[in-house]
Amino acid sequence: MKDTKQQWFKDAKFGLFIHWGLYSILAGEYRGTKTDKIAEWIMNYLDIPVEEYEKLAEEFDPTQFDAEFIVRKAKEWGMKYIVFTSKHHEGFAMYHSKCSPYNVVDATPCKRDILKELKDACDKYDMKLGLYYSQAQDWHDPDGYVAKKDNSQKDYRAYLDRKCLPQLREILTEYGEIALIWFDTPLGTTKEESQEMYDLVKSLQPNCIVSGRIGNGLGEYMTTADNFIPRLPFEGDWEAPSTINETWGYNKDDHNWKSPEELIQLLIKINSRGGNYLLNIGPDGKGHVPDECMEVLDKVGAYVRENEEAIFGTKRLPYYPYDVLWGDLTCKEHYLYAHVFRKVRRIEILNINNKVKRAYLIRTGEELPVTVGKSCEGDGFIDIKVPERLEDEAYYCVALELEEEMPIFESIKE
Ligand code: H79
């Protein structure tokens, strides 16, 4: 079972992923050829030569990027941490690296240390900042791995010593406290090499969490596959990295945004199974986040903020053999939370052998009538009457304060 030993991570439940790099300038199209694959892979997928791709840096001038605005928004959406791509597979550092001139200060006209801007904003608004770092794939360094290509002639050790390890050292020493390092795609990294990276992170910042994808089983929490979640409650610390549309890096042609309702349901489902939802935005080459994306997140954020007590700090729901058809459940030690996603007149919950002290609508705090009894089939049964004015509404949450501590589904264990 994975354990970060960091209470903030266990409580967080909702985080913001930011994918931003030179690929954001291309926005899914290179010299008239479009990619319908994840847009940050465009260099690899369309075989763009390094000498061509690296010229993009000369165009990087994100006049619309405002770190404080993004951090304020994440806060407003109820998110507890941000993970930012300090270097993606393309190899371009989004901070002022001293060991590779291929970075956002030395190779661009804007000369802005984006990581510094974000970290300052996070500190100002008391937001945790974690960093994505592509440890094995580096399509710019001649000895970095490239997925789906022949890597047999690479001197990976030389790349590790020249770029990966020194850059990890930089991001962990030059920018204050870093909440976590989000490694990705270890490919041919050996167990010893993964261990070396792990030890380096911990020697520089013992409280910095190492994500699931460092490779060779070493991470401190489980990262699910991109856009996948476990079907059942899953023990230990875990996180589901997910997209709002179908790409991580900005793609101007991808307007397939999930609705606020879908995203809220996914968040609650992930939380009820014990995980954190790490939801991605991809700013464009100018640093602007698409308006449609912001509008969707504003609506998700309104639900999250209103019902924060039923999200932040919740625990994995004990295994429960039924889904409720009107919504979903989350819980804490003495609370069960009914997230209502459909219009209903009553909220019925089966198989709860626990006394309910009171039920209240989180939005207003008003108490709702609740009956606890046995169903005709003999199961424990909770029945909450929804106020008439809410019968035509959905997306609200009712809290049940419980007499005894969870777990509560005792009849299932028999
Ligand atoms: O950062 C995001 C992705 O870029 C990264 N993980 C998330 C968080 C990631 N790295 N590798 N993968 C995802 C697997 C990707 C495989 C493929 Fe492809 C990329 C399959 C389709 C696109 C390259 C391009 C190979 C086939 C097409």
Side-chain angles (χ1 to χ4, degrees):
M1 195 178 93
K2 292 286 185 187
D3 185 0
T4 58
K5 302 195 178 70
Q6 300 280 332
Q7 197 58 42
W8 76 263
F9 185 84
K10 296 172 193 290
D11 289 342
K13 299 298 152 202
F14 198 22
L16 181 69
F17 216 164
I18 303 176
H19 273 71
W20 200 32
L22 297 180
Y23 44 80
S24 313
I25 299 173
L26 291 180
E29 180 171 346
Y30 179 68
R31 294 193 177 167
T33 306
K34 292 188 177 193
T35 171
D36 58 356
K37 306 286 183 192
I38 43 182
E40 70 282 2
W41 273 70
I42 192 165
M43 177 181 179
N44 177 278
Y45 192 61
L46 297 184
D47 281 316
I48 306 175
V50 172
E51 318 77 69
E52 286 299 310
Y53 191 88
E54 65 184 7
K55 285 186 200 148
L56 286 170
E58 295 161 22
E59 288 173 44
F60 192 74
D61 188 15
T63 47
Q64 292 176 48
F65 179 73
D66 179 348
E68 288 203 8
F69 172 73
I70 289 184
V71 176
R72 273 200 308 272
K73 275 292 179 184
K75 196 106 190 164
E76 187 186 309
W77 297 330
M79 292 159 160
K80 304 298 180 204
Y81 63 114
I82 292 177
V83 180
F84 174 64
T85 47
S86 62
K87 184 201 85 169
H88 203 268
H89 308 330
E90 65 178 1
F92 185 72
M94 292 294 280
Y95 70 95
H96 193 192
S97 175
K98 313 293 173 338
C99 47
S100 159
Y102 194 45
N103 72 68
V104 73
V105 175
D106 295 325
T108 69
C110 75
K111 307 199 179 307
R112 287 167 64 178
D113 188 333
I114 299 296
L115 172 52
K116 173 122 188 17
E117 292 179 19
L118 252 181
K119 178 60 175 148
D120 287 348
C122 285
D123 286 349
K124 179 165 172 186
Y125 294 103
D126 193 25
M127 174 69 75
K128 298 261 181 202
L129 181 66
L131 295 177
Y132 177 108
Y133 188 85
S134 174
Q135 76 275 34
Q137 286 201 70
D138 191 306
W139 306 333
H140 187 261
D141 189 290
D143 291 310
Y145 286 143
V146 184
K148 323 235 181 243
K149 296 276 154 69
D150 175 18
N151 291 300
S152 59
Q153 302 308 309
K154 302 267 165 95
D155 185 350
Y156 187 54
R157 186 69 244 175
Y159 154 76
L160 290 179
D161 291 333
R162 168 169 67 229
K163 191 165 180 185
C164 172
L165 297 170
Q167 286 202 330
L168 280 173
R169 181 176 288 278
E170 286 177 334
I171 57 180
L172 286 159
T173 51
E174 306 288 322
Y175 297 88
E177 198 178 302
I178 299 300
L180 59 86
I181 298 287
W182 216 97
F183 291 105
D184 203 3
T185 67
L187 301 186
T189 310
T190 64
K191 176 130 198 193
E192 291 68 30
E193 288 158 349
S194 291
Q195 186 72 50
E196 201 177 340
M197 294 174 200
Y198 179 91
D199 291 344
L200 179 64
V201 173
K202 291 293 175 182
S203 71
L204 298 169
Q205 295 205 27
N207 291 329
C208 178
I209 298 171
V210 175
S211 83
R213 297 197 191 158
I214 188 168
N216 300 291
L218 290 182
E220 293 172 293
Y221 66 84
M222 197 270 283
T223 306
T224 66
D226 296 351
N227 283 311
F228 283 84
I229 64 172
R231 189 175 283 282
L232 295 170
F234 192 86
E235 278 191 65
D237 296 340
W238 64 273
E239 172 189 71
S242 317
T243 54
I244 302 187
N245 50 358
E246 294 185 90
T247 182
W248 305 87
Y250 176 70
N251 183 335
K252 61 181 164 29
D253 297 314
D254 185 344
H255 303 283
N256 195 12
W257 306 104
K258 293 177 190 68
S259 68
E261 291 79 13
E262 284 175 280
L263 294 171
I264 293 166
Q265 292 196 27
L266 282 167
L267 169 70
I268 301 306
K269 187 181 276 196
I270 290 165
N271 293 169
S272 74
R273 291 171 192 189
N276 288 349
Y277 194 21
L278 183 62
L279 191 53
N280 181 72
I281 59 170
D284 68 17
K286 286 287 166 197
H288 179 259
V289 180
D291 296 339
E292 302 110 294
C293 175
M294 296 299 284
E295 284 160 22
V296 166
L297 282 170
D298 281 342
K299 291 188 179 137
V300 174
Y303 184 85
V304 175
R305 283 295 291 273
E306 177 174 292
N307 299 294
E308 204 158 30
E309 74 158 277
I311 295 169
F312 181 64
T314 54
K315 309 278 185 255
R316 176 172 50 88
L317 200 71
Y319 170 71
Y320 187 61
Y322 299 105
D323 276 330
V324 291
L325 296 187
W326 41 257
D328 213 336
L329 300 167
T330 54
C331 72
K332 284 182 194 159
E333 284 86 350
H334 284 91
Y335 287 88
L336 185 65
Y337 298 102
H339 298 260
V340 180
F341 300 145
R342 299 191 67 229
K343 296 173 187 171
V344 287
R345 284 182 290 181
R346 326 195 66 87
I347 303 167
E348 296 173 340
I349 308 171
L350 205 58
N351 271 313
I352 309 273
N353 294 323
N354 202 325
K355 293 203 185 80
V356 176
K357 276 193 189 159
R358 62 186 183 113
Y360 57 93
L361 181 66
I362 292 182
R363 186 182 293 176
T364 59
E366 81 189 271
E367 286 213 15
L368 303 182
V370 53
T371 336
V372 183
K374 289 237 181 250
S375 71
C376 296
E377 297 87 351
D379 298 305
F381 196 88
I382 293 178
D383 181 20
I384 300 156
K385 172 84 186 80
V386 171
E388 256 170 48
R389 63 166 209 285
L390 284 184
E391 286 178 1
D392 275 328
E393 266 198 57
Y395 294 90
Y396 59 89
C397 184
V398 174
L400 300 173
E401 193 182 344
L402 306 172
E403 196 90 355
E404 296 121 37
E405 211 171 290
M406 301 282 281
I408 51 171
F409 305 114
E410 280 171 12
S411 68
I412 306 304
K413 283 195 254 152
E414 284 162 12

